[in-house]
Amino acid sequence: MMSKRIREVLGVYGKYFLITVVLLFLPTYQVVAKDFLTIGFSMSLTGTYAPGALGQMEAYMLWQDIVNKQGGIFVKKYEKRLPVKFVYYDDKSEAHTAVRVYEKLITEDKVDLLLSPYGTTIHFAITPITEKYKVPLIGSTAASIKLREIKAKYFWFITSCIPDRQMQALVDLLDYLKIRSVAIFYAQELFPRENLEFLEPYLKKRGFKVLLKKDFPLGAPDLATPLAEVKAKKPEAFIALCYPADSFTITAQAQEVGFDPGFLFELVGPATTAFWQKFGRATEGITTMGHWSPKAKWPGARDFFEAYIKKFQKRPDYLNSVLAYTSCQILQTAIEEVGDIDWEKLANYISTHEFQTINGPIKFSGSENIRTPGMILQWQKGELEIVWPRATATAEVLYPKPRWP
């Protein structure tokens, strides 16, 4: 028989043994250590879209620098700041290449999160991928009425340059200026065609005369002949529904053929940094789509502008750079507020909350930003100013456009 002392000792240690065994078999919830966040995307570093994509890429780099200088993004789940590491590939301005890239980022690279590519066409091409894997993605440089039809749960678009809203703003401005005759060029591409779809009925409803309407292939190197044809029609306003490369061609060749309309609107291109660098004083009075200015009273707008100039020794693209940086701000805010990088939690937060950004407040209804109004920008004295609507304007509209220098 065991002595009383032995029984006492076994009794005490037996309790500890039992507790130890129970603890060993309880489920554990240890958080896996994490040292950084990997964020993946494709970018049109080469190909047709490359000129417009540059401002977007630079905005991503600026955001990464600013975040990492602060130690990273604070994630409550890990109780620390996590620096941001980018994983990106050149999609060559090809939608099918971008689709493969995003599939690779999710399934092979296993990135934590995603940022968007450049351009409407490529955004729409990758939407099925983000929906398939349920990865939240905040679209930046894309706008289409079709975003309302796709009913994506994990994809949002922050621009207000949706064709129906953008063309309504443009026609409102033309009407305000008492312009009555217009000529239209449009590129054979999704976004320009969608804008035309709304521009024509808006013009008809307001009683405008459309003197000429012509399409052209995206990236056409020579538009001098059709521009001369437009010149002969003498429209009060010329509307070019184009992309960046086309805006450069149109602006240069309009001067060559002596076509100098009183109002000139080019859809995408004049807001790029390279546009001012190329044309200088000839930009005076040219209008374009966009909805941002460093002069606007939005928190961080001026800081972003100055930080961009400091890093790249040039001004940001008032459209693509701003949209890209804003998308990063929304993603960062969602991570910090949710305290996790869980895709479903982030998607729910983005869908239901308002965000304060360098482009003002943003809130989504479905996939669309419903807080930012459609606006028109205009080059004035080397600066892009918001000239319409008057409620958000940073300057009065300049009309007629000064003659070419």
Side-chain angles (χ1 to χ4, degrees):
M1 294 181 65
M2 291 185 287
S3 68
K4 181 179 179 180
R5 177 60 180 161
I6 292 174
R7 287 198 302 273
E8 289 175 350
V9 170
L10 286 176
V12 171
Y13 283 100
K15 291 177 183 177
Y16 286 118
F17 176 75
L18 179 61
I19 292 170
T20 301
V21 170
V22 170
L23 288 174
L24 283 172
F25 284 92
L26 282 175
T28 60
Y29 299 96
Q30 183 179 3
V31 176
V32 177
K34 195 166 187 63
D35 296 320
F36 49 81
L37 293 176
T38 55
I39 301 182
F41 57 92
S42 81
M43 189 56 61
S44 299
L45 303 177
T46 59
T48 305
Y49 299 148
L54 178 61
Q56 180 172 344
M57 184 68 197
E58 290 176 345
Y60 284 168
M61 294 166 64
L62 176 62
W63 174 74
Q64 181 188 38
D65 281 357
I66 291 173
V67 165
N68 287 348
K69 283 177 183 176
Q70 297 169 348
I73 299 174
F74 182 77
V75 185
K76 176 66 176 174
K77 178 179 179 179
Y78 302 103
E79 291 294 341
K80 64 179 180 179
R81 289 182 174 273
L82 297 177
V84 170
K85 177 183 177 182
F86 282 159
V87 180
Y88 63 91
Y89 304 92
D90 181 10
D91 59 37
K92 304 175 184 177
S93 302
E94 299 169 346
H96 64 276
T97 300
V99 169
R100 291 200 299 269
V101 167
Y102 277 86
E103 185 99 35
K104 180 180 188 303
L105 288 167
I106 296 167
T107 62
E108 297 180 27
D109 297 326
K110 299 189 183 301
V111 297
D112 296 312
L113 298 161
L114 297 172
L115 289 176
S116 62
Y118 174 80
T120 300
T121 301
I122 295 181
H123 271 72
F124 275 88
I126 68 165
T127 300
I129 300 297
T130 62
E131 293 297 299
K132 174 183 176 181
Y133 293 102
K134 301 181 178 181
V135 189
L137 183 57
I138 301 154
S140 53
T141 51
S144 171
I145 55 170
K146 296 185 184 301
L147 66 87
R148 298 168 187 150
E149 301 170 9
I150 61 175
K151 301 188 185 304
K153 183 180 178 182
Y154 300 93
F155 216 133
W156 304 269
F157 297 81
I158 59 179
T159 184
S160 66
C161 298
I162 309 301
D164 57 347
R165 294 162 64 184
Q166 186 64 56
M167 291 299 98
Q168 184 67 67
L170 176 59
V171 174
D172 285 347
L173 176 56
L174 293 173
D175 209 21
Y176 171 76
L177 296 174
K178 302 188 185 310
I179 290 170
R180 302 322 307 161
S181 65
V182 304
I184 303 167
F185 269 18
Y186 67 98
Q188 297 167 354
E189 183 75 1
L190 172 64
F191 187 55
R193 288 198 306 267
E194 280 194 356
N195 278 270
L196 180 68
E197 180 183 335
F198 290 94
L199 174 62
E200 286 190 291
Y202 290 164
L203 290 171
K204 184 177 180 181
K205 185 177 180 180
R206 299 286 186 90
F208 287 86
K209 287 186 67 175
V210 178
L211 303 179
L212 183 140
K213 182 183 75 172
K214 271 190 172 293
D215 66 342
F216 62 91
L218 188 69
D222 187 359
L223 295 172
T225 299
L227 283 168
E229 186 180 349
V230 178
K231 176 187 175 183
K233 297 290 184 179
K234 298 182 180 179
E236 295 172 86
F238 177 50
I239 301 169
L241 304 177
C242 58
Y243 272 142
D246 310 314
S247 72
F248 280 71
T249 302
I250 290 168
T251 305
Q253 294 183 1
Q255 294 178 72
E256 291 171 9
V257 301
F259 176 42
D260 203 354
F263 184 92
L264 173 57
F265 176 87
E266 295 174 295
L267 188 65
V268 187
T272 61
T273 305
F275 194 79
W276 166 260
Q277 294 172 336
K278 170 71 173 178
F279 297 110
R281 291 190 303 116
T283 62
E284 189 73 0
I286 293 177
T287 58
T288 188
M289 75 175 194
H291 41 73
W292 183 83
S293 166
K295 297 180 181 179
K297 296 178 180 178
W298 297 317
R302 173 60 64 174
D303 292 338
F304 162 75
F305 182 74
E306 293 175 352
Y308 196 103
I309 291 175
K310 183 178 180 180
K311 180 172 177 62
F312 298 108
Q313 303 301 305
K314 61 182 180 181
R315 288 174 293 193
D317 179 323
Y318 278 32
L319 186 62
N320 297 334
S321 299
V322 173
L323 290 170
Y325 193 88
T326 300
S327 71
C328 294
Q329 282 189 301
I330 292 172
L331 180 61
Q332 180 179 353
T333 299
I335 294 169
E336 291 171 341
E337 292 299 320
V338 169
D340 201 342
I341 54 174
D342 179 86
W343 293 346
E344 198 65 35
K345 291 178 182 177
L346 289 173
N348 289 336
Y349 188 89
I350 294 166
S351 296
T352 56
H353 287 74
E354 183 169 288
F355 299 86
Q356 300 304 316
T357 75
I358 62 168
N359 205 178
I362 288 177
K363 183 173 176 56
F364 300 104
S365 175
S367 296
E368 185 176 358
N369 168 18
I370 58 173
R371 291 286 275 117
T372 309
M375 304 184 206
I376 303 293
L377 303 179
Q378 184 180 49
W379 278 104
Q380 295 185 10
K381 298 178 181 178
E383 299 285 346
L384 272 170
E385 302 279 3
I386 300 171
V387 294
W388 194 263
R390 301 189 75 184
T392 56
T394 58
E396 289 290 330
V397 62
L398 179 62
Y399 177 77
K401 180 185 80 65
R403 298 193 63 80
W404 300 122

